[in-house]
Amino acid sequence: MIQFPYGISDFRRIRSQGMLYLDRTAHIPAIEAAGDQLVFLRPRRFGKSLLLSTLANYYDRHTADEFPALFGDLAIGKNPTAERNQYLILRWDFSKVSAQGDLAAITSNLFRHLNECIKGFAQKYQALIQFPITVYPEDALASFDSLANSVKNSGHTVYLLIDEYDNFANEILTSDPHDRLRYHDLLEGEGVLKTLFKVIKASASEGKISRVFITGVSPVVLSDMTSGYNVATSIYLEEDFNALCGIHEAELQGLVQQIQQGHGLAETSIAEVMETLRRFYNGYRFCNDLTQATVYNPTLCFYALRHYQKKAQLPDQMLDGNLAMDAGRIRYIANLPAGAAVIDQILDETRTTPLRQLETRFGVEQLQRVQHDPTYMLSLLYFFGVLTIADVDGMGRLVLAIPNLVIRGVYVEQLKEQTLPRFEDQQTAQHLAENFYQTADLQPLVEFVENKYFAVFSNRDYRWSNELTVKTAFMTLLFNDLYYIMDSEAVIQRRYSDLLMIIRPNMRRFPLLKDIVLEFKYVSLADAKLTAEQVRGQSRETLAALPVVQTAMQAALTQLRDYRQALETKYQQPERLHCLAVVALGFERVLWEAC
């Protein structure tokens, strides 16, 4: 049985207890060659802490005797570098530093963490250090300087590992976009965080520290640290390190095969499981080299595979609750002055989201631009892991997109909360959607959209009013990754359906659920030659008889007939497939017809 290290980032524990370890040590020579002081950014729960733990055990003088056991069968164990087990390791984890309170409180929290790490360092290496390390309770920077001096004078040198360097600064920014003062105090002038990195830079230049490896989520802090720490090399967009964290397709398939063999499952189940995992968890690319394969989120994969190993089926709920806080990142952008329009654009798969380059300067001086500039918003969403590099367009611009269905679900849920802030309306929408999954009767949802949604959607900052608006409304109501693999603009025979809802393989055992494909059309009030009041005052039968509506409806039905044939062939359950043509007449009425 595979022991998945879910939530475990201790390399030594993983290796000594026989847990699964996906070998990334072949990258160590490239990491050494990239520079002495490196910055590596990846989204939350993507394996950064395990990477630091791996480096710590590889370079630590304390683990030299354990090298064969820890690394012998790994890539670096077969071809170690000259720097193996050559350093004393000092590790800080800023995710443990609270961002609550004023500057004095945050400084106290930071100093407390640094001092505790320095005390642990002194205890661990007391046999190697000839001179005592003094810990100053009120000044951890002086404590760090004492450590660096003692180590150098003892004939050794330090490898400094900093995890989640931007954590508490990010928390300050995203908790209140108007709260610049605390952020400014941390980083501007002689702010404590800026001063800390100035001390690190000085220690490195004096030979007290040989290497520094810093991980984080975003470059929010880097810009304001530049004058104090302008010696680090950023490697987070380099193609050589695209797959340094994350799971490769072949690795994941191998794990699925092991579990499948252990349960004696049919070969066809491997393809079904891989397709589900691919749609929900894959899609991350961290460079603009499109030849680099996308990778899977490791935490989500381990979450799903543990369940698959135990139950012989994937979990019903594909979003691990430990990653639910990504919704807060999207909410932060959505609540900015121009944020709602950016979220709408992201959800529109018919329009690309190109950037000349990712914005990496997020200092205090740029905070006002984050409020209004889509380039900054989109770049932040990329670093948060809720957008990824999907393509490069004909002008060399990066095309960003939602990486997978788990993240799309987070966007849709946020949009639903904004559109239906009342809990009672959300409950009504859920009830109507669940009834639709079983009956394919769209009329109750149509009436809900007309009465509740159109009033909100028509007031949004839409410069384009078409079927996208209508599709977004229904997708927001119908999106359900518990029952469905849901695709917007899904490819069927090289054509694109507007909204495809295919029952997940492990949910096909429930006979009441329907496979559903919807095709949307939009008829403007100008094309119908009617006012909004006239549309609202006429019966559905009268509106359906309008030539312009009939033309739109027939176009949708024609497309659906083509889709039906392809989907019936693929899924072999024609009785469960329902194809619906939906025509919106302005933002007033919705007409529909089954194919």
Side-chain angles (χ1 to χ4, degrees):
M1 180 174 288
I2 303 171
Q3 295 185 59
F4 292 102
Y6 176 76
I8 299 173
S9 56
D10 184 340
F11 174 82
R12 187 175 184 178
R13 177 184 172 189
I14 290 171
R15 295 290 288 162
S16 62
Q17 295 184 10
M19 298 181 189
L20 174 70
Y21 177 72
L22 301 175
D23 190 2
R24 296 293 179 271
T25 62
H27 288 89
I28 288 178
I31 292 174
E32 289 185 3
D36 294 337
Q37 301 184 59
L38 304 177
V39 177
F40 180 70
L41 306 178
R42 285 295 182 268
R44 294 180 59 254
R45 306 301 296 272
F46 227 89
K48 300 185 298 295
S49 297
L50 176 56
L51 171 63
L52 286 190
S53 181
T54 303
L55 296 177
N57 282 275
Y58 178 74
Y59 288 107
D60 194 347
R61 293 181 66 90
H62 242 3
T63 59
D65 293 341
E66 300 175 87
F67 187 84
L70 293 176
F71 292 95
D73 61 337
L74 302 179
I76 198 65
K78 299 168 185 175
N79 292 287
T81 65
E83 296 182 48
R84 161 192 135 185
N85 301 121
Q86 293 299 304
Y87 301 111
L88 309 192
I89 304 299
L90 176 62
R91 187 170 176 180
W92 297 333
D93 182 357
F94 286 1
S95 69
K96 298 178 180 179
V97 179
S98 172
Q100 300 301 311
D102 58 14
L103 177 63
I106 296 173
T107 300
S108 177
N109 295 336
L110 175 62
F111 279 5
R112 186 180 305 112
H113 174 69
L114 298 183
N115 276 332
E116 287 303 312
C117 292
I118 290 169
K119 289 177 185 177
F121 179 96
Q123 294 167 2
K124 179 179 180 180
Y125 295 113
Q126 58 184 323
L128 297 175
I129 300 175
Q130 301 173 18
F131 304 94
I133 296 173
T134 303
V135 175
Y136 299 88
E138 305 302 322
D139 189 355
L141 303 185
S143 304
F144 173 64
D145 202 36
S146 175
L147 178 151
N149 287 328
S150 296
V151 171
K152 182 179 181 181
N153 293 332
S154 299
H156 302 293
T157 186
V158 171
Y159 196 141
L160 175 61
L161 302 170
I162 305 177
D163 204 3
E164 304 290 353
Y165 87 101
D166 57 335
N167 180 72
F168 56 98
N170 277 336
E171 289 301 315
I172 290 174
L173 284 178
T174 58
S175 62
D176 183 353
H178 303 290
D179 185 4
R180 300 185 190 178
L181 181 59
R182 287 189 299 160
Y183 181 83
H184 183 279
D185 291 342
L186 277 174
L187 287 155
E188 286 296 293
E190 296 304 314
V192 62
L193 197 57
K194 186 174 183 178
T195 303
L196 171 61
F197 279 92
K198 287 173 65 176
V199 172
I200 294 171
K201 175 185 173 181
S203 296
S205 67
E206 295 166 2
K208 302 173 186 177
I209 296 177
S210 290
R211 289 190 177 274
V212 181
F213 196 98
I214 301 170
T215 75
V217 170
S218 76
V220 165
V221 180
L222 289 177
S223 180
D224 287 326
M225 286 187 346
T226 297
S227 61
Y229 190 63
N230 55 0
V231 293
T233 300
S234 298
I235 62 172
Y236 49 84
L237 291 174
E238 293 188 12
E239 59 269 18
D240 290 346
F241 303 108
N242 179 67
L244 180 55
C245 290
I247 297 182
H248 309 158
E249 173 98 7
E251 289 175 328
L252 187 60
Q253 183 160 341
L255 295 172
V256 171
Q257 287 175 332
Q258 286 187 55
I259 296 172
Q260 179 266 337
Q261 291 166 2
H263 283 288
L265 302 175
E267 287 290 334
T268 54
S269 66
I270 294 179
E272 291 179 350
V273 169
M274 283 301 299
E275 176 64 15
T276 302
L277 293 173
R278 188 177 299 116
R279 303 294 288 279
F280 280 95
Y281 297 159
N282 192 17
Y284 298 94
R285 182 183 288 110
F286 302 107
C287 65
N288 59 7
D289 179 1
L290 300 183
T291 66
Q292 296 289 325
T294 56
V295 296
Y296 291 74
N297 181 299
T299 300
L300 288 174
C301 286
F302 290 162
Y303 158 77
L305 290 176
R306 287 198 314 166
H307 191 280
Y308 183 49
Q309 183 168 250
K310 183 177 181 180
K311 304 288 188 179
Q313 65 181 30
L314 292 175
D316 294 342
Q317 183 61 56
M318 294 297 286
L319 175 60
D320 178 6
N322 286 320
L323 274 81
M325 72 172 291
D326 288 332
R329 309 302 194 189
I330 296 173
R331 187 178 303 113
Y332 164 69
I333 297 296
N335 289 333
L336 294 177
V342 169
I343 300 300
D344 292 338
Q345 180 182 354
I346 290 168
L347 286 169
D348 178 8
E349 292 184 334
T350 66
R351 301 174 66 243
T352 60
T353 308
L355 291 178
R356 170 55 59 191
Q357 62 183 14
L358 287 167
E359 183 54 60
T360 59
R361 295 184 61 83
F362 288 97
V364 68
E365 298 303 324
Q366 287 78 33
L367 286 184
Q368 187 62 36
R369 296 193 65 177
V370 175
Q371 307 286 310
H372 303 279
D373 190 335
T375 297
Y376 280 83
M377 296 183 205
L378 292 168
S379 297
L380 265 183
L381 289 171
Y382 162 82
F383 286 111
F384 289 156
V386 291
L387 285 179
T388 196
I389 299 173
D391 203 353
V392 176
D393 70 9
M395 295 180 62
R397 297 175 299 182
L398 299 177
V399 176
L400 303 183
I402 299 172
N404 49 52
L405 287 181
V406 157
I407 299 300
R408 177 168 290 276
V410 177
Y411 276 100
V412 169
E413 191 61 33
Q414 174 59 34
L415 184 58
K416 182 190 292 185
E417 289 180 8
Q418 283 190 306
T419 310
L420 300 174
R422 294 179 66 248
F423 177 74
E424 294 82 356
D425 289 337
Q426 294 178 24
Q427 289 293 99
T428 299
Q430 180 178 339
H431 172 74
L432 294 173
E434 290 178 350
N435 182 68
F436 174 71
Y437 304 150
Q438 302 172 64
T439 65
D441 180 5
L442 196 60
Q443 191 57 37
L445 269 170
V446 161
E447 294 172 5
F448 186 84
V449 166
E450 291 174 344
N451 295 326
K452 292 290 184 179
Y453 254 49
F454 276 171
V456 177
F457 270 75
S458 61
N459 291 328
R460 294 176 74 88
D461 183 23
Y462 278 105
R463 288 161 288 177
W464 53 93
S465 295
N466 52 29
E467 60 264 21
L468 165 66
T469 312
V470 185
K471 181 180 76 173
T472 301
F474 279 93
M475 180 179 67
T476 305
L477 291 171
L478 293 174
F479 195 96
N480 186 308
D481 56 12
L482 177 65
Y483 296 129
Y484 290 100
I485 293 178
M486 301 190 68
D487 257 354
S488 175
E489 298 297 328
V491 179
I492 303 175
Q493 288 188 333
R494 289 186 249 182
R495 301 181 67 183
Y496 291 90
S497 67
D498 283 339
L499 185 58
L500 180 65
M501 303 171 57
I502 296 298
I503 305 166
R504 285 174 48 185
N506 62 318
M507 291 293 175
R508 299 198 77 85
R509 66 186 187 276
F510 298 116
L512 291 180
L513 293 173
K514 313 295 184 186
D515 291 315
I516 300 167
V517 57
L518 298 100
E519 190 67 24
F520 297 95
K521 300 296 178 185
Y522 177 83
V523 175
S524 69
L525 297 180
D527 288 340
K529 296 181 173 57
L530 295 171
T531 66
E533 291 75 13
Q534 288 173 328
V535 170
R536 288 195 295 268
Q538 296 189 31
S539 68
R540 295 187 188 279
E541 293 75 16
T542 301
L543 296 174
L546 293 173
V548 67
V549 172
Q550 288 189 336
T551 299
M553 186 70 75
Q554 288 306 312
L557 290 170
T558 298
Q559 290 175 261
L560 287 170
R561 292 186 188 100
D562 293 339
Y563 299 153
R564 173 181 284 279
Q565 183 177 359
L567 292 170
E568 286 181 354
T569 300
K570 182 174 182 179
Y571 294 104
Q572 298 293 308
Q573 288 185 305
E575 73 282 358
R576 299 183 81 163
L577 179 62
H578 294 260
C579 300
L580 307 180
V582 182
V583 177
L585 192 51
F587 289 133
E588 309 302 327
R589 302 293 288 277
V590 176
L591 307 166
W592 66 281
E593 188 174 330
C595 173

Coordinates of all heavy atoms in Angstrom, one line a residue, residues 172 231 428 570:
I172 N -1.5 40.9 5.0 CA -1.8 42.3 5.3 C -2.5 42.9 4.1 O -3.5 43.6 4.1 CB -0.6 43.1 5.7 CG1 -0.1 42.7 7.1 CG2 -0.8 44.7 5.6 CD1 1.2 43.4 7.4
V231 N 20.4 41.2 -4.6 CA 21.4 40.2 -5.1 C 20.8 38.9 -5.4 O 21.5 37.9 -5.8 CB 22.5 40.0 -4.0 CG1 23.3 41.3 -3.9 CG2 21.9 39.6 -2.6
T428 N -32.3 28.6 -2.7 CA -33.3 28.4 -3.8 C -32.6 27.9 -5.1 O -33.0 27.0 -5.7 CB -34.1 29.6 -4.0 OG1 -34.8 30.0 -2.8 CG2 -35.1 29.4 -5.1
K570 N -20.0 8.4 -27.8 CA -19.0 8.4 -26.8 C -19.4 7.7 -25.5 O -18.8 6.9 -24.9 CB -18.4 9.8 -26.5 CG -17.3 9.8 -25.5 CD -16.7 11.2 -25.4 CE -15.5 11.2 -24.4 NZ -14.9 12.5 -24.3

